[in-house]
């Protein structure tokens, strides 16, 4: 499962340094990768007598010594002491080491022990790409597309989790019951974590922490000892608002807990959401802390669109910050990809970007990977006289109200792009955090996905602008939201669904509107149809769709079958425009993953015609939904 790059990086480190630390999350394939090197001797500290064996072998000259399982209380310190004896042995290993040593651990050992001048060089092992996990599943005998998709989703790029998911499927768990599979997998993960901390009490606390995403000592209600125990686990990090479980393990534990104890799961989430709102309302907090509380509150809404857009179940490696002088070329490259992905006219987009860059790169925030390479961005301009020329074309008739009213200020969002869904989600969360700090956000977007998300987040819609500025067949829609500190608790409360985590019958949904399937306003139902079509392969997300309330649908499998049939019937319609609309829905939602631009080109349609037909198709499928009678 390891990549050629991983092996090359590790080999280069071992060839160059006497002491190397290979790190990565539980089950990430560290031991397997390490044994691809020419190892002369190996010690597993999880075995009895492992530490004594390390002292003996470290004192002997020779080839590479592999030391595995350097995890658990005191082990890093013990290893540092075992490798400490002074000596001036000849050979390539400096500072008293008689042989090169490779230490394998889940966390970097520099964080756990004082190594002095002989601190190990750290090589990190990240998650595998989805294609590699899919290949692993097929090699394990999992070939059903729905089952393979479940393995990829639950594994999050971790080879061990992929293996455990395959075993769960072979044990007879159906691929449309992800909670049962996750529960079986979580038991094995907890057993493997047991070597880091003795006892059982922390195991349930870890499930609760995964459910609330981030928890301080009061929210976790286990006292300082339990809090410290959780903090010492390799899967747990300390964040601004408390402890959090690393992805994809967090998502795995949450999915399992929701399946095993659904009522308790909802109670924990509801209590945590109330706690976050109370902190926003009752405790003076700076902009940074308010932004963190809002982020946690959004997670706790449990809304499927918010979860998939902002909180994908995968580990994040990018860091986001202001663009730097000299990064204009990187901004241009990323904005070009943004235009292509959105199906926008590239030249028109470039002219708009040039206006945003007039004052330098300060209007952009960049996401950078571990090597510092830009992999995502947001065009986030401060609203003011200096930026009005770059903003007005995207607001047009709404500019007077949003730029020239009393107390103009805040931020304007013109574009957001991430190289992959994880980076994209980080960018979107960073935008919301910056908006909380600034107090107000104005958005102009031609993306149907962004528009659906803004509706879900109860942004105020101002309507479309006059022109199709991107020449993509649809005019940008304008939205705004006030993020003043006084209004944040009420906004978070309105977003949090009551009771069991989904809107109760007759309750208000996004934008204060009723979302009970066929009872929703006609203009909202196509959005619900689009969301469901985009999530056909995810039974857990389909289970949250308001369309399940339609008569005769009832279950995620029923909704999936109904949507597939409705799209197929539309594609076979006699009216050419209807058939074209059905063909677009089939290609974009039911076929191989493609962008709107790729589908339009494949069907030989102009951008304008393509998006008219797409909207027509969603509206026609929505109109076919069964309605209540009486």
């Amino acid at each position: 499962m390891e990549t050629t790059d991983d092996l090359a990086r590790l080999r280069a480190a071992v060839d160059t340094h006497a002491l190397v630390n290979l790190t990565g999350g539980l089950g990430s394939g560290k031991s397997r990768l390490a044994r691809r090197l020419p190892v002369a001797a190996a010690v597993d500290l999880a075995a009895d007598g492992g530490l004594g064996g390390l002292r003996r072998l470290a004192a002997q000259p020779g080839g590479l010594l592999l030391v595995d399982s350097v995890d658990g209380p005191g082990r890093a310190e013990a290893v540092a002491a075992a490798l400490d004896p002074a000596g001036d042995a000849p050979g390539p290993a400096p500072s008293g080491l008689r042989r090169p040593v490779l230490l394998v651990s889940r966390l970097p050992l520099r964080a756990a022990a004082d190594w002095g001048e002989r601190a190990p060089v750290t090589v990190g092992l990240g998650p595998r790409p989805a294609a590699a996990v899919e290949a692993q599943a097929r090699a394990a005998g999992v070939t059903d597309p729905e089952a393979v998709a479940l393995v990829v989703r639950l594994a999050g790029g971790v080879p061990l989790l992929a293996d455990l998911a395959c075993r769960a499927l072979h044990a007879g768990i159906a691929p449309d019951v992800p909670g049962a599979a996750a529960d079986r997998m979580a038991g094995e993960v907890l057993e493997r974590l047991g070597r880091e901390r003795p006892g059982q009490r922390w195991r349930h606390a870890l499930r609760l922490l995964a459910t609330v995403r981030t928890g301080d000592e009061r929210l976790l209600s286990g006292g300082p000892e339990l809090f410290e125990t959780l903090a010492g686990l390799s899967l747990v990090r300390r964040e601004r608002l408390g402890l959090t479980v690393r992805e994809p393990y967090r998502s795995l534990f949450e999915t399992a807990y929701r399946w095993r104890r659904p009522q308790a799961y909802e109670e924990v989430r509801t209590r945590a959401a109330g706690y976050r709102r109370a902190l926003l309302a009752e405790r003076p907090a700076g902009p940074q802390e308010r932004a963190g509380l809002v982020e946690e509150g959004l997670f706790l809404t449990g809304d499927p669109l918010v979860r998939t857009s902002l909180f994908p179940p995968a580990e994040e490696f990018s860091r986001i910050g202001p663009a730097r002088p000299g990064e204009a070329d990187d901004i241009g490259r990323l904005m070009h990809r943004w235009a292509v992905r959105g199906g926008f006219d590239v030249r028109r987009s470039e002219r708009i970007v040039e206006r945003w860059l007039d004052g330098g790169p300060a209007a952009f925030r960049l996401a950078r990977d571990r090597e510092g390479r830009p992999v995502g961005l947001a065009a986030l301009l401060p609203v003011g006289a200096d930026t009005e020329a770059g903003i007005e074309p995207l607001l047009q008739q709404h500019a007077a109200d949003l730029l020239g009213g009393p107390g103009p200020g805040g931020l304007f969002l013109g574009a957001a792009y991430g190289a992959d869904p994880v980076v994209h989600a980080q960018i979107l969360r960073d935008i919301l955090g910056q908006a909380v700090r600034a107090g107000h956000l104005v958005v102009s977007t031609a993306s149907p996905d962004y528009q659906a998300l803004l509706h879900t987040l109860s942004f105020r819609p101002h309507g479309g602008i006059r022109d199709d500025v991107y020449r993509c067949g649809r005019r940008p829609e304008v939205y705004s939201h006030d993020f003043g500190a006084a209004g944040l608790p009420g906004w978070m409360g309105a977003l949090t669904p009551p009771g069991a985590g989904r809107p109760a019958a007759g309750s208000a949904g996004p934008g204060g509107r009723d979302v009970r399937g066929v009872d929703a306003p006609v203009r909202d139902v196509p959005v619900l149809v689009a969301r469901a079509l985009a999530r056909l392969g995810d039974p857990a997300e389909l289970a949250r769709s308001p369309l399940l309330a339609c008569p005769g649908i009832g279950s995620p499998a029923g909704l999936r079958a109904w949507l597939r049939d409705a799209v197929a019937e539309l594609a076979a319609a006699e009216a050419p425009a209807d058939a074209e609309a059905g063909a677009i829905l089939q290609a974009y939602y039911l076929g191989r993953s493609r962008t709107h631009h790729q589908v339009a080109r494949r069907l030989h349609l102009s951008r304008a015609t393509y998006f008219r037909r797409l909207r027509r198709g969603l509206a026609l499928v929505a109109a076919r939904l069964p309605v209540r009678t009486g």
Side-chain angles (χ1 to χ4, degrees), residues 449 528-538 542 563 588-590:
D449 293 335
L528 300 178
V529 169
R531 291 182 195 172
L533 284 169
R535 293 160 179 78
L536 280 187
D538 192 335
L542 284 183
L563 287 170
Y588 183 70
Y589 291 109
L590 307 184

Side-chain angles (χ1 to χ4, degrees), residues 280-299:
L280 278 170
E282 300 169 6
R283 190 175 80 186
Q288 195 85 351
E289 186 175 2
R290 286 201 304 272
L293 289 170
V294 166
E295 181 174 310
E296 297 306 315
L298 289 174
F299 172 85

